[in-house]
């Protein structure tokens, strides 16, 4: 499975962006798509994840109540709606394929190339 992210860009603080993660083929209902981000000089960190079949979600505390992860199984696509963006949300955002709702990047594979999100103050 190949994953391709899109939707990044430059936005002012308080604004919104929607990222997309498109899979090259249909994944199993038990599979999880995770969103991670990496800012310059920092480690890659978990943002959110959704299980393809049940739609169960998991969020990092820093984005809970601001970000929403969803999936459109007919389009093999997962979305990350990001609202009330802050300068500290600036990072390259990646999606990846996993088998359970983990926050550890090592539990995920088939990483996309990433999409840059920049939030200006």
């Amino acid at each position: 499975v190949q994953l391709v992210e899109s939707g990044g860009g430059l936005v002012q603080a308080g604004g919104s962006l929607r990222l997309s993660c498109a899979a090259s083929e249909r994944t199993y209902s038990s599979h999880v798509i995770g969103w991670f981000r990496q800012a310059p000089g920092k480690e890659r960190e978990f943002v959110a994840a959704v299980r393809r079949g049940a739609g169960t979600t998991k969020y990092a505390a820093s984005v809970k109540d601001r970000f929403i992860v969803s999936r459109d199984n007919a389009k093999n696509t997962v979305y990350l709606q990001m609202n009330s963006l802050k300068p500290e949300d600036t990072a390259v955002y990646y999606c990846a394929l996993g088998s359970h709702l983990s926050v550890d990047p090592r539990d995920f594979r088939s990483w996309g190339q990433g999409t840059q999100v920049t939030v200006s103050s």
Side-chain angles (χ1 to χ4, degrees):
V1 176
Q2 291 184 325
L3 303 177
V4 178
E5 305 94 338
S6 62
L10 173 64
V11 64
Q12 289 188 332
S16 298
L17 280 175
R18 188 178 79 158
L19 305 183
S20 299
C21 173
S24 59
E25 59 190 70
R26 183 184 176 94
T27 58
Y28 292 111
S29 61
S30 60
H31 277 153
V32 169
I33 295 293
W35 284 99
F36 294 80
R37 65 188 182 187
Q38 189 165 18
K42 295 188 177 181
E43 293 186 353
R44 191 166 297 189
E45 65 172 357
F46 172 78
V47 175
V50 61
R51 190 176 297 280
R52 179 183 174 276
T56 312
T57 58
K58 189 178 186 72
Y59 295 94
S62 60
V63 306
K64 192 173 175 61
D65 299 327
R66 297 190 298 124
F67 291 10
I68 301 171
V69 61
S70 62
R71 84 270 192 247
D72 184 334
N73 291 334
K75 296 182 178 180
N76 293 334
T77 301
V78 170
Y79 303 99
L80 183 67
Q81 178 67 43
M82 305 186 297
N83 302 317
S84 302
L85 282 162
K86 305 175 181 181
E88 51 264 44
D89 294 318
T90 295
V92 177
Y93 283 70
Y94 300 89
C95 62
L97 182 67
S99 300
H100 53 278
L101 283 169
S102 170
V103 301
D104 189 339
R106 294 172 297 181
D107 291 330
F108 290 81
R109 61 192 185 281
S110 301
W111 292 82
Q113 82 290 348
T115 185
Q116 176 71 47
V117 171
T118 302
V119 184
S120 63
S121 57

